Amino acid sequence: MTHRIGLVVPSSNVTVETEIPALLSRHAGSFSFHSSRMRMHTVSPEELAAMNAQRERCIDELGDARVDAVLYACLVAIMAQGPGEHRRVETAVREQLPDAQVLSSAGALVDALTVLRAGRVALVTPYVRPLARQVVGYLEAEGFDVVDWAALEVDDNAEVGCIPGERVMEAARGLDLTGADALVLSACVQMPSLALVDDAEREFGLPVLSAATAGAHSLLTGLGLDPVLPRAGSLLARSR
């Protein structure tokens, strides 16, 4: 059986459609991937709100493909709207697409940190500082203690997809990880980090995850599949 995965992505995103398939290709299951795009170039409150307004069209398109699961794959677009927004978005999408598993990158990250029992976390984000603070505040409203965070101050979403891995690792090395239970190496589905996760776990000595690994975990669990993938960090290392 092939599971059809629907991805709702910003038009300028080029990473989620590579990292999610790369992750799920390591699973014994069979998957196909089907995307619908929302216009967005600059990661700003105005463009994020305008992008979210395109959601219903995207869900209708994916519904036509009869997807088994859909991932609303823009973490900051949801978190910038205020605490608890991922629940409201997921509920609205379920009403529109009742026969599919409905997930969001924002909700997937919250769920993944809960699975890891990571009450104290550190973050690397590509966002400008005001948006990064909203992400921090969102996680704090969910009950997590953000011990330290970095904002790389990139607002062009196409450029976010080109941030080199060494810059991401340098930002992580600059964090105070004292007392942290986990490190979110990329709190954004557009900032590439999949190739870094395993090495980062060895270097920092704590669980490392990303928006992409959290999304893959949520997709697999939502479909009732074992969420175990090699070379993808502690979150996906074993059955729970």
Side-chain angles (χ1 to χ4, degrees), residues 53-222:
Q54 303 167 55
R55 184 188 70 226
E56 289 188 9
R57 170 187 57 79
C58 293
I59 298 303
D60 280 341
E61 291 176 358
L62 294 174
D64 291 345
R66 298 183 182 179
V67 296
D68 300 302
V70 60
L71 179 67
Y72 192 92
C74 187
L75 181 144
V76 72
I78 288 179
M79 290 193 177
Q81 309 311 310
E85 181 68 10
H86 73 275
R87 296 181 183 88
R88 291 188 285 273
V89 168
E90 290 171 7
T91 296
V93 174
R94 286 189 192 101
E95 291 173 354
Q96 192 176 349
L97 201 63
D99 295 328
Q101 293 296 316
V102 175
L103 312 154
S104 69
S105 293
L109 183 59
V110 169
D111 290 345
L113 292 172
T114 301
V115 165
L116 288 172
R117 299 181 181 178
R120 293 168 56 82
V121 302
L123 309 174
V124 179
T125 81
Y127 313 122
V128 296
R129 292 188 71 81
L131 281 175
R133 287 192 191 98
Q134 287 185 279
V135 171
V136 170
Y138 194 98
L139 292 176
E140 289 176 340
E142 291 289 330
F144 302 102
D145 180 9
V146 179
V147 300
D148 202 3
W149 54 278
L152 300 186
E153 299 274 7
V154 181
D155 64 357
D156 184 308
N157 202 46
E159 290 184 17
V160 171
C162 299
I163 293 174
E166 186 54 33
R167 186 178 177 192
V168 178
M169 290 297 290
E170 285 175 4
R173 292 178 186 123
L175 296 173
D176 182 355
L177 299 177
T178 305
D181 300 314
L183 167 64
V184 182
L185 193 60
S186 177
C188 174
V189 291
Q190 169 73 332
M191 186 165 73
S193 66
L194 179 56
L196 309 173
V197 170
D198 259 9
D199 288 343
E201 283 209 346
R202 285 189 287 270
E203 177 172 340
F204 298 117
L206 76 168
V208 173
L209 67 160
S210 70
T213 61
H217 183 274
S218 282
L219 284 166
L220 290 170
T221 54

